Structure formats: C-alpha cells, structure tokens
Amino acid sequence: MAVDTAPAPALVDDRAPARHARAGTVYAVLGLLLVAVAFTWLGGKSTVIAFDKTLTDASWSVPTFGAVLVLGLLCAAAGAWMLVGLPQRQFKLASTAGVAALVLALLFWAYSQEGTVFRAESILAGALFLSMPYIFGALSGVVCERSGVINIGIEGQFLMGAFTGVLVANITGSIYAGLVGAMVAGSLSTMLLALLATKYQVNQVVVGVILNLLALGFTSFMYDQLKKAEGFNDAFAVPVISWGPLADIPVIGPVLFQQKLFVYVGIVMVAVVWFLLYRTRWGLRTRAVGEHPAAADSMGVNVNRLRYWNVVAAGLLAGFGGAWFTLGNSLAFNKNMTAGLGFVALAVMIVGRWNPLGVLAGALIFGFTTQIARDLSAAGSSVPGEFLQMLPYAVTLVVVAGLIGKAKAPAADGVPYNPGDK
Amino acid sequence: MSDSTTTEAPAEPPAPAEESESKPSFMRVFGGYLTEANSVMVTVYSLLLAFLIGAILLIVSDEYTRSTFSYFFARPQDALAASWYLVRDSYTALFEGAILNLNTLESYQAGQADFGNLLRPLSETLTYATPLIFTGLAVGLAFRAGLFNIGAQGQLIFGMMGALIVGFSLDLPIWLHLPLAIIAGGLAGGALGAVPGVLKAATGAHEVISSIMLNNIAALFLVWALGTSFLHSETKSDLVSKPVDESAMLPTLLSSFNPSLRVNLALIIGFAAAVFTWWLLSKSTFGFRIRAVGFNEHAAATAGMRIGSTYTTTMTAAGALAGLGGAALALGVSSGGITTNTALDYGFSGITVALLGRANPGGIVASALLFGALKAGALSAQPDVPVDISTLLQATIVLFIAAPALVKAILHLRTPRGGLVTLEAKGW
Amino acid sequence: ACGDAPTDGGSDNADASFLACMVTDSGGIDDKSFNESAWAGMEAAEDENSDIDVKYKESSNTDDYDPNLQGSVDDGCDFIVGVGGLMSANVTTAAQANEGVGFAIVDGSPSDAEGAPVETSNVYSIQFDTAQSAFLAGYVAAAQTQTGTVATWGGMQIPPVTIFMDGFAEGIAKHNEDKGTDVKLLGWDEAAQTGTFLNNFEDAAAGKSTSDTFISQGADILFPVAGPAGIGALTAAEEAGDAVNAIWVDTDGFESTDYGSKLITSAEKGLAQAVQDAVLAAYDGDAGNGTYVGTLENGGVGIAPFHDFDAAVSDETKAEVEALTQQIIDGTLVVESPASPAAS
Amino acid sequence: MRLELKGLTKKFGSFTADDDIDLAVEPGQIHAILGENGAGKSTLMNMLYGILQPTSGEILIDGEPMAFSGPGDAIAAGIGMVHQHFKLVGPFSVADNVQLGREHTRGAGVLSARAARRAVLDVSEQYGLRLDPDAVCEDLPVGVQQRVEIVKALSGPKTELLILDEPTAVLTPAEITELLQIMRNLAASGTSILFISHKLKEVQAVADKITVIRRGKVVAELEPTASESEMASAMVGRAVSLQVDKTPAAPGEPRLEVKDLTVVSDAGVKVLDGLELTVHAGEIVGLAGVEGNGQTELARAILGLVKPDEGHIAVDGNDVHGRSPARRIADGLGYIPEDRGRDGLVSEFSVAENIVLNQYRDAPYAKGGVVDTAAVHKRAVDSIAEFDIRTQSPDESASSLSGGNQQKVIIAREFSRPRRFLVAAQPTRGVDVGATEFIHSRLIAERDTGTGVLLISSELDEIYALADRIAVIYNGRIVGEVAPDTPREVIGRLMVGASAAPETQTQTDEDAAGGDR
Ligand SMILES: Nc1ncnc2c1ncn2[C@@H]1O[C@H](COP(=O)(O)OP(=O)(O)OP(=O)(O)O)[C@@H](O)[C@H]1O
Ligand SMILES: Nc1ncnc2c1ncn2[C@@H]1O[C@H](COP(=O)(O)OP(=O)(O)OP(=O)(O)O)[C@@H](O)[C@H]1O
Ligand SMILES: [Mg+2]
Ligand SMILES: [Mg+2]
C-alpha cells in the first residue's frame, strides 16, 4: 500500500484555552468574595452539624469563619490553577473542586444563623428521597429521547402513575399491585405518544403537551367520579426498608440503609438503564436509532418498532415515578398533585446530558437543594421563603450555565423517521 | 436542534392522480374535496372527531345517563334519548358560552335584551384568546429560530409585573401612561426572555432548562413581590396587588354596548403583534436571519450571520411578546390587581397554540381564538359540562388537528395533492 | 339554556323554584378547603328544603369571577354565593347591577374595587374569626407537646391562612405565659408575619417533606393550614410514630380525614353551616345585607372534640380551654390577628 | 450470486425516477452504473437494498424473485451496500458501527466489545483496510469513514453482492487505487459488485461492464474499453469536453497572506500549526492534502468562523483580525464550503433565498431592513438561467434539488457578486461530469477576472486541472509548494508527511499505517 490517510497524532496544547481562563477568573473572584464574606459577617459565628438519628446527642460546632475562609481560599486556588494553566484532563477536577468548595462554604454560611442546625442524617436522607421522582421521570425521558422521541409528557405520566397506583392498591389491597398498576398506567399513556410519534409522525412536543392535558383532565375527572365512593383513594404506605445493623451506622445508615423501596429501585434503575444503554444490543440499537435512524435502518434495525416499544417501556419508569407522589409519600391522590415536577424532571434529563449517571447527579442536586431550602425555611431563616424555594432552580441555572455548557441532544431526537416510502 | 438531512424519505407519497378525461362536475369536485385530507377538512374532521369522543365522555360521566344504560336492552329508547339530550344540551351550552347564546338571541328578537348581551359570549372568547395570542407568538417566533421557548409563562409573569408597576406608580396622562405601561410589560418580559438567549449564546446552556428554571423562579418571585409593601394592595389583606391607575387601563372595545363586555384594546394590540411578527418573519432581513438560523445554523454562520446574537435577540423579542401578554392581563381584565393566579397557564398553553398554528402568526391567532372559545364555553357551561371534560375536549381537538395522518387513517381520507400538511417536526 | 340537563350530584330537586348558585374561588369545588365546605353547605340546604336547587361555577383565577357571577345571574339564580374575600368587589358590583338577586360573600364583606366598604341592600357577608379557634388549638398544642416544640406551616401567605397561624401562635404564647412553659413555635413568626409556606395548596408531597423537616427539628405537634397539601403533615406524623401528632383546620379532621388517630383536635370554621343557614334564610327572604361573623360565642368557630386524645388531654387543660373560651366570649381576652374580620 | 433486474420501476408520485430498468450482474462481475446527478442510480440501488420498494418490476437473485421489505431482508440475502451518504452513527466507535444490526453478544443481549473489535480487525486485515475499532467515527477523516462503510458492507454474514454508491468521492488518489484493488480481489473471489462513480477513469480501470442511465432509463451498455468522452456523452446526451481550457496565470499583488497561523481545537489539538500561505490576484492555488490535515480549519479561519490562537490573516494587505465573517464577505471574500448540506445551504429555504443567503441585507436585495422579494426573485431567475440550475422554480426548496444542482446554487451565490478572493473547498464533490465541467470553467473565468482563488480539493485530478501553483498541507502546516507539473508521486508523498524524495517511502508507510486514531 502506497500511502495512508492517517492524520498526525494529536498535538496536545500546553496552554490553557480561553474558556479555562474565563472560568478561572470566575472561580477566583467567587472564592475571594467568600473570603471577604467571612471577614465581614462571620466572625464569632459557628455552624452546628448534628447526627440526629443515630447519635442523638452528637453534634459538632465548627467556627463558620474558619470554614468559609478555608473553603473560599480553596475555591480561589482552583481558579488560580486554571488561570496559570493546567492540563485539559485536570480542568474537570479543578472545576469540580471549585464548585464543591463554593457549595460547602455557602452551606456553612447558611447554617451559621442562630437556631439553625445542619442535621446531616435527616437532610441527606430527605434529599435522597426527594430526588426520586426526578430520577424516574428523567430516566424515562432518557430512554425515549435516546431512541429519538421527545417526551415532554412526563408530568402527565406522573399523574397517571400517581392516580392509578393508589387506585389499584385500594382495589387489590396490595401496595405492590398498586406499583405495577402505576407502571402500566404510565406505559399506557406513553403508548399514545409512541403510536403518534412513530406511525403518524405527529410533532412530538405537541403530543407531549396534549398528553399532559389529557392526563390532568382524566385523573381529575376520575378523582371526582371516585370521590363519591369509599375505598378507592385511601392512602397506602410503602414500608421503610431497614437493613438491620447497617441502618445504625452514623450518617450512612439513615441515608442509605433505612429508606423506602423507591430509593433502592431508583438507584438500581440508574445502574440498570446505564448498563442496558451502553452494554447491550438493545442499548446499541436504541442509541443508533436516536442518533442516525437511517443508519440503523440500513443495517436492518426496525427503527419505528424499536422506538415504539422503547417509549412504551419508558412509560413504565415514569409511571413508577408517579407512584412516588402517592404511595411513596403515603398519600391519597389529589388533583394536579405533581405540581410541575415532571417538567423539572425534563430539565434534569438535559442537565444529565441524556445519560443515566448524569441524571442521578442532576436529580441529587435538585433533591438536595430542595431539602436544604425546606430545612432553612422551617428553621426560620431570615431569607424569604420564596427565595429559598427558588434555590434548586437557581442552582440548576448556575450549574447548567457554568459547568455543563452545551448539552447535545441525540441527533435525531424529535425527528420522525419515515423508512423509504413504506 | 437537529435536522433530518439524513433521512431521505418524503412525508407521504402523493396519491396517484386520478385521471378523468371529462371535466368533473362541481359536485364531484366538492365531494372529492370533502373526502380529501386537506388542511381545511382535517380541521373540520378533527373537531367532529373530538366532539364525538367528547360526547362519549359526557355520556360516561353523567350518572343519570349512565344509569339508563344499565337497562339498555330492556328499554333502549331511554338511554338513547338521555344520551342525545345530554350531548345536545352540553354542546349547546359550550356553543352558547363561546359564540352566541340562543336564549339571549330570542330575548333580543323579542326586544327584551340589548345587543350587548348578544355579544357577551364572543367578547369572553376574545378576552381569553388575547393573552394566548401573545404567548403563542412568543413561542412561535422563537421556534422559527430553532429555539424552544418553554419560558413564556415566566415572561408573561414578568410582563405583568412590569406593566403593573408602571401602571400604578406613575402619575401621567393616559396617552403617555398606557403606552408606557404596555412597553414596561414588554421590556420586563423581554428581559427575562433574554436570559436563556444570552446563556445559550455565551455558554451553550440549553434554553429549555433555563426557561423551565426561570418559569419557577418568576412564579415564586411574583409571590414574594406581591407580599412586599410596594406591590401589595393598600386596602386588601389578600395576596393581591395594587390596582393600576385609570390612566393605565386598557380601554374596553365594546362597553358602549354593555359595560360588562370585557374585551379590550389588548386584542387589537395582539392582532397588531401578529401582523408585525408575520412581517418580521417573512419580510424583514431580521426574519430572514431568524429563519436561516432556525433551519440550519451552520449554513447561516457560514453566510456571515451571527448565531449567538440571533438567539439573544430572538429570545428577547419572544420574551417581549409574552411580556405584552402579561401587560394585557395586568392593564386589562386584571387591572383591579393581580394575584398569584392571574397568569394561569397562559404561557404553557402558548406552546400548544404556537404549534397548532404551525408557528405562523396567522395560524397562531386562529388557534388562540379556538382556545379562547373553548375556555369561554367551558366556563359558561359548567357545571353541566364538568370543567375536566372541557380540558379533555381541548386536548382531543388539539390531538387530532396536530395529527392529520391519524384523522386520515381513521376516516380513510385520500391524500391531497402535495401531501399532508403536518406540523414541522423539530428536535431540541 | 339547558335546565333539563341533570346537574352535578344527582340529588337535584328537579322542579325547585329557588335556585341557589355558588361561584368558587380558584382551587375549585373539591379543594378540601373553603370551596368544598361552602359547597357542602349549599348541598345541605338543598337536602333540607326540597324547593331549593343548587349549582356552582368554578373560577380558575380572579379574572373568572365576573363572567361566573354574570353567568349565574343569566342562569336565573335567585341567590348567589361568592366564595373568597378576593371576590368581594366583584360580588358587590354584580349585586348593585342586579338588585333583584340575593348575594352572599364568604370570608369578605361588600366593598368597592379599592377595598373600601360599600353599603348594599342585597349582599350578605359571611366571615369567621378563626383566630379564636386557632388560639384554643395553640393552647392545647402547648399543653400537649412533649418536646416543647410545635410547628405550623401554610399553603400560601393569605389572610384565611395566616389568621389561623396568628391565633395558634397566640394560644401558645398564652400557655407559656400562664404556665411558665417555654414552648417553641416553628414555621410562623407572628410579629414579623413571616413563616413557612408551600406556595400552593396541592403539593401534598411537599407538605410531607416540609413536615418531616419540622419533625427532625424537634416538633411533635404539627398544625398545617394548607387544604389538601396539609394531608402531607398527617402522613408525616403517621410515619414518625406515636410521638408526633397534629391538629387540623377548617373541619373536624377526625371525620374529614383518614388520620383521626393522629389528630389531637381541629380548629374548626363552621363554613358549611353558615352557608347552609344563609341559603335557607335567603329562601325565606331574610338574607338581605346582613353580616355573619362566626365566633366562639355563636359557635361559628371552635375546637373539635379530642376524640382519641380525650384521655391524653388532662382535665386541667380541658378546664383551662373551657375558661379561655369563656373569656374570649366575654371579651376579657381578645385574640387579634391582622387578618381578623374586623381588620379586613 | 447472479443478480437480475427485470423492468424495475420506481415512481415518486407522478415522477418516475427509474423507468423499466433491466440489468444483469454476473457472479464475480464488477458492473458500473453511470449517470448524471439525479439519473436514478441511488434510487435503483436503494430498491435493491430494500430501502425503497419498487413500484413495479422484479429483482431476481440466482433466478429466484425476491421481495425485500427492508434492508434486513437484503442483508440476509447476501447483499451489502456502501451508501452514497454515510450511514454512520457519529458518536459510535468504529466497532459499534460495524456491529450495529448484527451485534456480537455474550448471550442475553449483552455486548461483547472484544468480539466486535476482533471482527473489525479480522475484516480489515483480510482486505487491507486499516481501521482502529475504538476510534469514534465522527472524529475520523471522511476517507477513513468511507473505509468504515466498506468494512461494514463486507462484514455481512455472507456478502455476495456488494453495492458501492459513489464510494470514491471522498477518497485520496492512493486510497482509490487501494479500493479498486480490493474490488478486483473481491470480484476474483466471486463477489459481484455494483459500482457507481462519476469518475470515469476509475470506471474504465475496474469495470467489467458499464450501464449508463439517463433520466431513469437505461440508455447505453458500454464495454470498459469505451473512451471517457464516449461515456460522458452517453451520460449527458451531448458531447462533453473533459479538458479544462486555461491560459497561463498572470498573478498580481498578494490577495491572501496567511502568516504563522495556529489554531487549537476545543479538544486541545493543534489543528493548524504555524501555517504560511500566500495567494495572489489572478491565480489559483491548489491546496492538496489528505482530508483532516487542517484544510477545514484554514478555510474557516479565513472566513472568520474560527479564531486563530496565533498568527495573522491578511486579505488585500489588511489584517482581518477582529472582522466578523459578514464583514469579510462584504469586503469581497467568497466561500464555497466543503460540506454543502451542512454549511452551504439552508435546505428548507427556497433556491432564491439560498442564492442571496449571504447578501440578503445588501442592496438591492434589502432596503431599510426589509427584504425586497422582487429583487431576490429576479436575481434568482437570472442565476438559474446563467448557471443552468435545474429547478422547477426559484421558489422550490433547495432540498428538492439534486446534489449537483445544489452545488450550482452555491456557485451562483458566490460567483455573481464582486469578489476579491475566493476559497473553494471541494467544489465538485459528488457532482457529475457535466456540472464539473461547468464549475471548473467558472473557476478559471473567475481567476481570469483577477480574483485570487484558493482551491481546496482532495482530488488530485482537480488540482492538476485547475491549479497554477500547488501547496501541500500536512498536519496543519504547508509542507511544500510545487509547480503544477510536479509528478503525482511527489505530491502524494508530501501529502502523507514524507519528504519529496522517493527513498523514504517505505518508512513513511509504516508510520502512517500505525497512525490511524
Ligand atoms: N424520496 C424521493 N422522493 C421524490 N423524488 C425522489 C426521491 N428520491 C429520489 N427522487 C428523485 O429521483 C431522481 C433520481 O435520484 P437518485 O438519487 O437515484 O439520483 P442519482 O442517480 O443517484 O444521482 P447522483 O448522481 O446525484 O447520486 C432524483 O432526481 C429525484 O428527483
Ligand atoms: N423529499 C424529497 N422530495 C423530492 N426529491 C427528493 C427528496 N429527497 C431527495 N430527493 C431527491 O433525491 C435525489 C437524491 O437525493 P440525494 O440526497 O441522494 O441527493 P445527492 O446525493 O445529494 O445528489 P448528488 O448525488 O447529485 O450530490 C436528489 O436528486 C433529490 O432531488
Ligand atoms: Mg446517487
Ligand atoms: Mg445522489
């Protein structure tokens, strides 16, 4: 063979690209601001961290000034590191360290107010539990959109799951039957999306919006119909699963080993969906169909059939997430009780870059900030409650703009596929 | 955003042309038109199908009618009569609430009611359509630039606040005050709309995430702001704002017929905004750029268009449109003071309105009117027609209109020359 | 237009001569709160008098008030009940335009758009001084708490909600003052008028997680003022075991919820009864432009029986509650909230 | 395998793309299909591969009539296809792209990465198509992507008929030689091959039989001994001049000066590394090189879409640093992008709108921020006539044009406004002989008006035909500037980074072969 088209080995640049410098400046400035905050307001204050469930009396009192000072300097150092230039590979490390320091410092600051105690176990356990609807909703979104179908109807699937879960649990008397019912209901409602998106090539965003409307109308209507009769909408409680001695480990125990079924299923599903997507034939085909359906088609993959069943299967996940609202919280169904969280799940999916592990991270950010906001509000923070409630949204905005940057959707996401002229 | 350059299939192969040598009669042409899935007939059939499904829902949901079905085989006429009356009365009620009240018409003909009463249903329809025109345009305009503005809700809320603040805090003559208040609404909405645009241009942050976050932030901000002494009503303890000054209120259009006819100048502004948006998109160089970027940002960039600034300006303009919708509320029907509920879900409905109108200003106005009529009808027909049934009816109508292929398949219509008109399919 | 279509409920009095209509506030007919209670009163009136027929129209926001009131007039209603103080001006205007029709406003009084009181001939006003019942509930809570910490939280920061929270706070303060206790109230600072609110009435899951947070901060009695979202507090209490209990609002939660065993008592607001009375009075032509303020004195507000907690609440506390009730009725003890009917 | 088509017809609505086509491919035969852009070649192949369903007619394999309801059926019947447009999933690795649809699993649907990698290596070794199974496809140069496509087509369980739809359009001369050799080997081992190309030399070199299609009909059957001009006139239906007439250049003052240009990609790779280049007025400089050596970035940097990390670009002696692409275009920079689907056209826009895509704000097409539709229309009508763009009307959407005509739209856009400097990247890629002839003559005419032209092409034929001077790019650097009469082998060696002297060839081959990412 005479010649080859091999491009030269990559020359790795040793200088920091411009965006590193920009990010570095931001981190450095924020870090120094924190230092200034420490000197101005935090002298003499202390932040109390308590282990409320396993060690009722144990608590640490940390001088807020010192903690914020150290963390602020750490953040500034991360920024400086970026500014002087660091290898590409370590940019992620530096920015993660910077953000972590920033978040921790803000927490120390927030919990330095008189009367506030950072109850590590209940806050973390609560945060994990609160992330669950986002995990299920966003995973459902991932499965749909990885196969090229936009699912904006997660909110509707939540409602269907929430309603049906309670209904079936009431009729059968079994909470597990209720969970299955919720999944089936979620899946039935995505079936319409699946059909319209594959067979009838309807604009998928419109279908999603319609599904939300239909689910709201349907569940509200059924709620009214069943309200008159007894025994259709009584609350059922999912038992807390306690892992024996593991549950007694400080912090880790209450957070990880004494949670409701939803938490375990949620974490397992993240792993399962990840494995299925990246390690199995189904996943390979699913991703191909979402990126380049014509390519998959030309290799004999039936694009629309795969999309159809994936969307239907994704409904199972969203429906299960819907059951979180009722069965997971030991609540009866109530009209519109999902309160827009389905849309947040959509955002979590994008924050997680259509990847189950990213979804886990995004959902945890949301759950954690929501929990912190509620805790601070309950403790009587001087920040108005509305601003505390904005916290998860504001944090997401910052994370998305500052850390995630351009999230690239699967290339064929939302584009109906028409194989030849069949 | 993705385009489908790789899929080479067209939407639907046109049916083989029916060749007939003799000149077809009018009835044949007309009959052919009726059985063809053209956009007019698809809309007509969508409504019919939706109302058919609605009828079934009504029958199922009505306890009495349902009970007559329990002895259907013994005395079917009971069930049929009950169903017929139920469906007829329900739809009459919707029609009367949205378009023309037949009772009022009778009284009017008998000289017992004034003309204004006759106009009330229409006025209500137009009143509810007004904010939807604005939010529909806000979503539609962004859509043409390839942006999914799911944030019209928050932009509308900001617009409401902006218009409100100028509306009560300045003391000016009407010719100055009203325009200023309206502009303030547009500016406030535009400011919020700019955020996702700027973030996308600068950092690549996905506009859907930032818009969803900003919707929530705006709604909470409104709750907080309404509680502050600056915005909070001085006379009422409820969570309601100060009313806007008389000089900043949008004049009503039909109140000379009857003072309770609420439709106001905002409707005209809405039409004007639609015309302007149409002009902007199809005539102006800016619109050329928006569409080019929306279809293919790479080619647009290669042709020298600035992508980031197109995102920013388009989102700002879209936000401003939604903000004007907020101003229409704050200075119009809610001029007595806004609450946390005033915005309803006008912003979210704007998405459906825009997509149903195929992101064309004309189509957006038409679908906003349809939604306004459904809302006015539903409001007036309750509780005979449960509100939830109206929601379901709305969803079903939109579903069929958005899915011509489905209507075609159900009714076995023929494909028209030039194929089915489908909503453009767009990814993120 | 369609009188022969059966109305909701099925128990309609088909050939009734008196049509009583209700216009809801946002939240709808089944908000597990004042709309629902008011509708219960309407239906009770219908059951009581077979010559009365009832109907309702739901409003999704303040913009719907006018068309719904007008629609009710057009439907030929003889008596129209508007629910919610926000509707006061709209009801007043409608009443002035339709002198021949009777009106009532729940949680409000006739006023103009600016909120200034207006004299009318045909608006009946129904209000409640729920601060009084909440005061007693707060006193009981202070007496019953084991941890010395109780908590309240609301749906939204609006007067019908905060009046409960004010009364509750004052009841606790009274107990602390009289008995030398140091019971702490989380979730509401009466002086600053700031506290914990969900900013909606629907999200019971958020209500539960908020309640869990209060429990982790030591509260053992929860007082949610949030309609259906308040149920979240009851499930939180249930999950937390025997140590945590709750007090319900508006109705006797022992009967209206599934969590009777967790409810020490309820701060009641006799809305259904008052609406029922008003409709019946209107039928007799007696409603006119009267004003009804529900108080402990007329039984319009009060605290529910202790039910399962009857044994747990000491006789001493019961006697003190009795005495406080008497003092409030006498006027020797004044429970005041910025949201009290007199102030609005 | 013996393939026979009988009366195969494909209609799109009332338009007949293929009309009653009869064709037979014997086992081990290389059967070339020739035809203008839009003649119906790809449509025919797509029917064979089950992507499209014939309107009428029969496909017979070894005498058996076949009905393919999808590519799956065709694959099962032993047909493999390399599509004209890559059907590669960009973010996937080479191995994943090759195994898609026939995955290597360890049971229960769990993928076996090792088996997939092994399979790719096996096939690529067998045919001498070097590939790194772990490379991500979208990062690969198009030439390598083409190789992936070929490996894909050969990886079928028992590929007996291989369809190659314009596989050589993006390959370098050496790669083409290599591919043709592979085809011969395959044919020798009994595989039938259907081969589509617009490059007549290749067809001559490899085909056993040639079928010419025009407007969906078979118009000629030629033997490989037919001359190029015979083939061309059979395709086009008229005589085509394959020779580009050009007078010697008269270079003037420098129009483009690139000094020390360095561009670092987002991934931190130096894609341009101190590149130096000058193009004068009235000359065409051909930039030869294997794709992926910085040509794209150079073109984009000249346009201003890529910000240089170091160095200067001057047009007409003025440093263009800080000038927006719009400003540069207005100042007389013309640009024919290499990827017309992505960068050249807004396919949903009408032909008219595409023609004014970079002038829509200028007089006479716009006044005071308003587009003058009439002026745009008039310009489009003129351009359609002048550039012979085959379209039903100026309002037709660009997507409905054939690739060759789409390219003419871009040519029309760039060639009918005053320009001082032109960057033409792969201007005739995938374009038929007739259109190529036309585009080439326009480029020469452009030069003769005094415009400086930078011609970026991976086709040495094109470079030889047009260039007055040849610069060879390798690894983001100009590694040699030679006269247009330099032998191919010299340029070929420069293109892979070897010195111009022949002795080092063997050495280089080893290096280059191992260098696939
Ligand atoms: N999906 C389609 N719908 C309508 N017409 C089509 C479609 N696909 C192809 N055509 C028509 O069929 C004709 C033949 O197209 P085809 O792709 O087969 O050309 P080709 O010979 O491969 O050209 P090229 O050399 O450019 O690849 C085109 O001119 C086009 O008008
Ligand atoms: N939806 C469509 N409607 C009409 N014609 C179409 C459609 N899609 C593709 N075509 C036609 O199909 C033909 C082949 O399409 P394809 O995308 O293969 O063109 P191309 O390969 O880019 O053209 P070329 O080979 O000339 O560069 C084109 O001539 C185009 O006109
Ligand atoms: Mg082709
Ligand atoms: Mg082609």
Side-chain angles (χ1 to χ4, degrees), chain A residues 1-3 5 8 298 421-422, chain D residues 10 49 69 147 174-175 475 509:
Chain A
M1 202 172 59
V3 286
T5 59
S298 78
D421 60 349
K422 272 179 287 183
Chain D
K10 179 69 193 176
Y49 195 60
S69 65
R147 243 183 287 167
E175 285 172 323
N475 248 342
D509 275 353

Side-chain angles (χ1 to χ4, degrees), chain D residues 461-479:
Chain D
D461 280 342
E462 184 160 75
I463 301 249
Y464 276 118
L466 297 178
D468 302 310
R469 200 147 59 82
I470 299 175
V472 184
I473 187 170
Y474 175 73
N475 248 342
R477 246 187 265 256
I478 300 294
V479 290

